[in-house]
Amino acid sequence: MSVHLFTKNTSYILDVLPSGHLSLVYYGRRIREREGYSALTEKRATPYGSMIAYARSNDAFGLDDVCLACSSYGRGDFREACVEVLLPDGSNTADFTFVSHSVLSEKPTMEGLPSAYDPDGTAETHLFELADSVLGVTLKLFYTAFYDSDVICRRMELVNRSGAQVLIKRAMSMQLDLPQTDFTLLTFTGAWALERQRQEKPLSTGIYVNDAKTGLSSARANPFIMLRQNDATEHAGDVYAFNLIYSGNHAEIVEVTHEGKTRVLSGINPATFLWTLENGESFFTPEAIMTYSHEGLNGASQHMHRFVNRHIVRGVWKNKERPILMNTWEGCYFDFDEHRLLSMAKQAAKLGIELFVLDDGWFGERNDDKRALGDWFVNKKKMPHGLDGLQKKLKALGLDFGLWVEPEMVNEDSDLYRAHPDWAVKLPNREAALGRTQLVLDLTNEAVRKYLIETMSTVFSSAEITYVKWDCNRNFSDMYAPTLPPTRQGEFFHRYVLGLYEVLDALTKRFPNILFESCASGGNRFDLGMLCYMPQTWASDNTDPISRLIIQEGTSYGYPLSVIGAHVSQSPHSPTLRATSVETRFNVAAFGAFGYELDPTELTPFDKTCVKRQIEFYKTHRRLFQFGTFYRMESAFESNRPVWAVVSDDGREAFAGFYQFTASATHAHDVLRVNGLDPEALFEVKNRPQYISVKTFGSLINHISPIKLSGEGLPLMLIARRYMFPVNEERYLIGGDALSYRGISLMQQFASTGYNENVRVLGDGGSRIYHIKAVD
């Protein structure tokens, strides 16, 4: 029996082998449906070498060289397994074979775990039931094909009907066995302030692991990975991409064999997982997603972007334009009172900001990060009129009000910890290790979950709050849950994630109109699980735009721009001490859920004018920047001059960001090329009006200045605070086909030998945004 799942552009074909095992026949570019696919199945006539014959009746068939849908240990498949269970007698051999197949009338949900949803009922879900009759354990494999997004989801349910207790050592959500090995593995690894750095590993025989053991999905290794055929590029070639709807410890395992097979596994990290499944109980894995594109890395990313926007993000903020916010953190940190906040807010309102976000420091005795975390009551010394009083004053200025919280954590120096020290995650016989001077609250404990739901509900109801930034500023250590018996401590990490989802589900249902933004020391928990509850995620605490080119581009491989929090911040930037222009800061942050993170009262007149015009520009074009089709035309990981583009659905309008890491003294003949445009249309291409600080030229300004100015002198500094030096105006007319296939030869860059209206000045960290619009 064969089953052909298909999306708009892909086919996924499963077949039941004579042995009863479920096998993957094909996953790739869409092919026509047939009655059978025997021409595609591998043929075996004789055994080989050290192969274990699966059955005595057929010595030519062994499991170690078969593209299986679900593998286990003990019957001759020596590759990494999808499922491993430990039986009461201590053995771990399992053999799951086909029982039944059905097509479900709707996509089922999972209790306690988020999953992709199908609001218009167009997705098709197939259920395959496999069983080991000796063990008495059943596996249910759910495959859901999302036609327009070209994405297939898979998850698994283990049902214990053995009559005894079994231990689950491994239960991966997805297994994909491919009959080829010419791949390069792309992972997106990093650290705090250096998230989602693209890494490429050409595959050879062996096992590759991309995983997190920190308790969070982690900045160290995002659960999103890609396999590209070795000749694939951003724009062409075969690419597979995978992700996991989960916010805890995960593992993506890729194994290449000498027999020419590549196995991909994705799911809960087995290194930190051991689950006791009683007789009659079921265990549900998180849902994994996969896609294939023959249109290169961009094609696979665009599938993921459509899928996240349509089937992960939900509620009021699905497909809704995000407000332009101003966050107080980098503007004042803990040093504020109501008077200072209102001064910042008044200036923000004049600039055109829509949402004012009060970050850390508003509660308890929170004057630094060493105390009061967990004491969720207003600091009346700082804010005598409370959150409600502040919010009403902000509303009078035309600003909505947002708030920062970090509910999952606690300081030892807090009223909460003094009242409930047993609520913190720690071992009974060790001094707890601290991270950012705080401990993790034990969300496996029902009392803690109820407390957080009610406490946060009180906070969110205390004023007209339209936005919440939900932070989580440390990784896990000293894992132990006193409410769990010793034999179940291996369930801690997964039970924590289930507890978190319970809290988030309750709060987002109680407050459906709040725009929640997930944060975890920046991008330490950027995953699809959080996006099921919170429509956007803070990408990184590093707001330096030069760093952000890498961070945001790395994020874009698996996640759409609409969910990537990106801000213009103070300069020099605290993580790097690099100074950048306010225009480049905007040109990078505009490709995301956009805002500012600074004290607007400290802006120079030059910066205020730039910011005001940036906001006017972004408001006009916000929809396209947040929800347009995104292309990495030149990758920041490969080029000194990256180019990003967002293109409208009809291909008649686009914006392209042109960036330069370092300038060259030689003439640079730059070409701007953009894909996805209507090839029949004529386009006008113009640069966004922006400005250069005259400080850029230093003493060179004396070539045109009527009076001599020192490059470091006070007069030039004073002029730079106010004088708006415009960049040269660029305007080009070009056909959509030529712009896509060849590109525009842009005006020459400044190269030390002169400047006029036909020379572009970029320098180190320079940038432009080009508006591309079809004309009649």
Side-chain angles (χ1 to χ4, degrees):
M1 184 191 82
S2 297
V3 177
H4 187 159
L5 287 77
F6 57 87
T7 67
K8 186 176 183 179
N9 296 296
T10 71
S11 288
Y12 189 102
I13 302 172
L14 294 160
D15 185 55
V16 179
L17 300 176
S19 63
H21 295 93
L22 190 63
S23 173
L24 178 68
V25 175
Y26 173 76
Y27 184 32
R29 196 165 180 173
R30 184 165 174 179
I31 60 177
R32 285 174 290 170
E33 199 162 8
R34 304 254 183 216
E35 291 232 353
Y37 300 93
S38 59
L40 305 183
T41 59
E42 294 180 322
K43 282 71 177 176
R44 294 171 176 84
T46 61
Y48 63 88
S50 59
M51 185 194 86
I52 301 295
Y54 173 72
R56 298 187 182 189
S57 58
N58 182 3
D59 64 0
F61 178 76
L63 295 176
D64 200 38
D65 186 30
V66 178
C67 289
L68 296 171
C70 186
S71 62
S72 54
Y73 292 127
R75 296 289 290 172
D77 186 350
F78 300 104
R79 295 168 289 180
E80 290 288 310
C82 182
V83 179
E84 183 181 6
V85 293
L86 191 62
L87 305 174
D89 64 3
S91 66
N92 70 340
T93 294
D95 186 19
F96 296 100
T97 55
F98 178 78
V99 175
S100 66
H101 164 258
S102 58
V103 179
L104 305 183
S105 59
E106 60 182 11
K107 184 179 187 293
T109 59
M110 290 182 288
E111 184 178 353
L113 280 169
S115 60
Y117 80 120
D118 178 26
D120 34 3
T122 57
E124 185 175 82
T125 298
H126 293 251
L127 169 60
F128 294 86
E129 187 169 315
L130 314 179
D132 185 320
S133 58
V134 175
L135 298 186
V137 176
T138 296
L139 296 183
K140 296 180 179 180
L141 305 182
F142 296 85
Y143 290 86
T144 301
F146 289 91
Y147 183 85
D148 288 333
S149 301
D150 283 314
V151 160
I152 293 174
C153 292
R154 186 183 121 157
R155 65 177 177 87
M156 184 167 62
E157 178 186 350
L158 286 78
V159 185
N160 182 6
R161 298 177 176 135
S162 68
Q165 182 187 87
V166 298
L167 296 179
I168 304 173
K169 296 180 66 177
R170 174 186 294 220
M172 308 303 283
S173 301
M174 183 213 72
Q175 175 175 322
L176 181 71
D177 286 2
L178 297 168
Q180 66 227 67
T181 62
D182 56 331
F183 290 116
T184 295
L185 171 65
L186 276 68
T187 59
F188 299 86
T189 63
W192 175 78
L194 200 69
E195 295 90 341
R196 288 169 297 287
Q197 309 291 294
R198 192 185 87 187
Q199 309 294 330
E200 296 208 33
K201 305 172 183 67
L203 296 184
S204 58
T205 306
I207 299 170
Y208 302 78
V209 178
N210 177 79
D211 76 348
K213 306 181 187 76
T214 64
L216 312 175
S217 54
S218 170
R220 298 166 69 94
N222 195 268
F224 175 78
I225 65 169
M226 307 177 95
L227 283 182
R228 67 168 178 85
Q229 284 204 305
N230 290 330
D231 60 353
T233 67
E234 285 283 1
H235 308 290
D238 290 350
V239 175
Y240 297 89
F242 311 90
N243 211 335
L244 187 67
I245 306 176
Y246 193 62
S247 305
N249 293 346
H250 60 88
E252 292 69 49
I253 304 169
V254 180
E255 181 170 4
V256 177
T257 71
H258 280 286
E259 287 75 33
K261 300 292 192 299
T262 301
R263 171 168 290 177
V264 184
L265 298 167
S266 175
I268 296 172
N269 195 334
T272 58
F273 173 82
L274 182 65
W275 193 272
T276 300
L277 193 65
E278 300 291 348
N279 182 51
E281 289 184 343
S282 292
F283 178 82
F284 298 91
T285 70
E287 191 165 56
I289 69 171
M290 53 187 150
T291 192
Y292 160 84
S293 175
H294 66 279
E295 296 180 324
L297 298 169
N298 272 312
S301 293
Q302 289 161 10
H303 293 178
M304 291 294 188
H305 295 179
R306 286 196 295 270
F307 177 76
V308 173
N309 279 327
R310 296 175 184 179
H311 302 290
I312 293 295
V313 175
R314 58 204 72 192
V316 172
W317 288 96
K318 178 180 179 177
N319 293 323
K320 185 176 179 179
E321 295 173 21
R322 311 295 197 256
I324 301 171
L325 64 82
M326 181 164 287
N327 183 291
T328 63
W329 179 243
E330 289 194 37
C332 58
Y333 297 100
F334 296 102
D335 183 19
F336 64 84
D337 57 19
E338 185 179 282
H339 176 75
R340 184 175 183 185
L341 294 176
L342 288 173
S343 296
M344 294 171 67
K346 287 173 184 176
Q347 186 60 58
K350 290 178 183 178
L351 295 172
I353 295 294
E354 299 165 325
L355 169 65
F356 188 85
V357 179
L358 176 56
D359 209 279
D360 198 355
W362 59 267
F363 53 89
E365 297 298 320
R366 185 74 165 172
N367 297 312
D368 54 42
D369 64 1
K370 297 177 174 59
R371 72 200 78 248
L373 193 58
D375 297 342
W376 298 109
F377 50 87
V378 175
N379 183 321
K380 288 299 184 78
K381 292 179 182 178
K382 292 183 178 182
M383 301 171 59
H385 301 102
L387 295 178
D388 185 54
L390 176 64
Q391 179 269 318
K392 288 176 179 175
K393 292 173 183 177
L394 293 173
K395 189 173 184 179
L397 296 172
L399 294 169
D400 287 333
F401 177 49
L403 195 66
W404 176 96
V405 294
E406 191 179 2
E408 299 166 65
M409 304 291 157
V410 65
N411 288 131
E412 289 179 317
D413 184 3
S414 67
D415 292 348
L416 178 62
Y417 184 82
R418 284 184 283 271
H420 298 284
D422 55 313
W423 282 7
V425 174
K426 54 187 177 179
L427 289 159
N429 56 351
R430 293 181 185 270
E431 182 179 53
L434 298 178
R436 206 187 181 221
T437 71
Q438 61 197 49
L439 297 170
V440 181
L441 287 175
D442 181 6
L443 268 62
T444 71
N445 185 333
E446 183 181 9
V448 176
R449 299 196 298 273
K450 287 182 176 179
Y451 169 81
L452 288 184
I453 292 169
E454 295 310 316
T455 301
M456 288 299 107
S457 293
T458 299
V459 171
F460 300 160
S461 302
S462 65
E464 193 177 318
I465 295 170
T466 62
Y467 165 100
V468 167
K469 185 176 182 180
W470 182 291
D471 212 339
C472 173
N473 273 312
R474 67 155 289 179
N475 294 324
F476 289 41
S477 64
D478 304 289
M479 291 72 68
Y480 181 80
T483 57
L484 295 176
T487 56
R488 287 185 175 265
Q489 291 298 322
E491 301 175 13
F492 171 83
F493 278 118
H494 185 56
R495 287 193 179 277
Y496 182 94
V497 175
L498 294 176
L500 172 63
Y501 289 153
E502 180 183 318
V503 171
L504 298 183
D505 185 63
L507 289 171
T508 53
K509 285 177 178 175
R510 288 188 186 186
F511 301 93
N513 294 317
I514 288 179
L515 171 59
F516 285 90
E517 178 168 328
S518 172
C519 176
S521 296
N524 200 30
R525 192 164 61 185
F526 203 120
D527 61 67
L528 298 181
M530 295 304 292
L531 287 170
C532 287
Y533 302 101
M534 301 187 172
Q536 61 193 56
T537 302
W538 182 230
S540 177
D541 286 343
N542 187 345
T543 49
D544 175 344
I546 305 306
S547 300
R548 274 298 189 114
L549 280 168
I550 295 291
I551 293 166
Q552 288 176 217
E553 182 172 304
T555 307
S556 78
Y557 282 90
Y559 305 91
L561 304 189
S562 59
V563 308
I564 301 173
H567 294 171
V568 172
S569 67
Q570 309 264 89
S571 174
H573 303 282
S574 59
T576 61
L577 290 182
R578 182 169 22 229
T580 61
S581 76
V582 71
E583 296 285 37
T584 285
R585 282 175 265 161
F586 170 78
N587 290 345
V588 175
F591 287 82
F594 173 67
Y596 293 82
E597 190 149 340
L598 43 74
D599 183 348
T601 67
E602 295 180 357
L603 293 174
T604 66
F606 175 92
D607 286 344
K608 286 179 182 177
T609 301
C610 288
V611 167
K612 188 175 178 65
R613 293 178 182 179
Q614 290 167 2
I615 291 172
E616 291 170 353
F617 172 84
Y618 191 80
K619 286 180 178 178
T620 302
H621 304 291
R622 167 169 30 199
R623 184 83 198 168
L624 185 50
F625 275 104
Q626 292 181 1
F627 294 101
T629 300
F630 180 68
Y631 290 87
R632 296 173 297 271
M633 295 305 304
E634 296 288 341
S635 170
F637 291 97
E638 299 170 1
S639 173
N640 182 51
R641 298 184 181 95
V643 177
W644 296 344
V646 284
V647 182
S648 64
D649 290 343
D650 63 5
R652 293 180 61 80
E653 186 175 15
F655 286 96
F658 181 98
Y659 310 95
Q660 180 165 273
F661 286 116
T662 56
S664 170
T666 59
H667 290 293
H669 294 285
D670 300 319
V671 174
L672 178 69
R673 191 170 70 85
V674 176
N675 287 349
L677 299 169
D678 181 350
E680 304 296 324
L682 178 67
F683 288 88
E684 181 182 57
V685 180
K686 298 190 297 184
N687 59 320
R688 178 181 75 84
Q690 61 187 66
Y691 301 89
I692 305 171
S693 170
V694 293
K695 289 189 297 183
T696 301
F697 300 98
S699 295
L700 293 174
I701 199 73
N702 289 307
H703 288 283
I704 61 170
S705 174
I707 59 172
K708 186 174 177 64
L709 296 168
S710 168
E712 300 295 328
L714 180 61
L716 184 60
M717 299 300 106
L718 293 174
I719 293 170
R721 286 176 59 83
R722 293 186 176 276
Y723 181 66
M724 309 299 295
F725 187 96
V727 303
N728 61 313
E729 182 180 347
E730 299 177 69
R731 183 178 180 273
Y732 313 89
L733 285 175
I734 186 171
D737 51 356
L739 185 50
S740 294
Y741 307 152
R742 196 277 182 188
I744 300 168
S745 290
L746 298 173
M747 290 181 179
Q748 175 192 323
Q749 276 203 52
F750 178 83
S752 79
T753 55
Y755 174 77
N756 58 45
E757 67 276 9
N758 294 315
V759 173
R760 294 179 302 137
V761 175
L762 276 82
D764 289 355
S767 63
R768 296 285 187 275
I769 285 181
Y770 293 92
H771 188 192
I772 303 163
K773 192 170 177 65
V775 295
D776 294 333

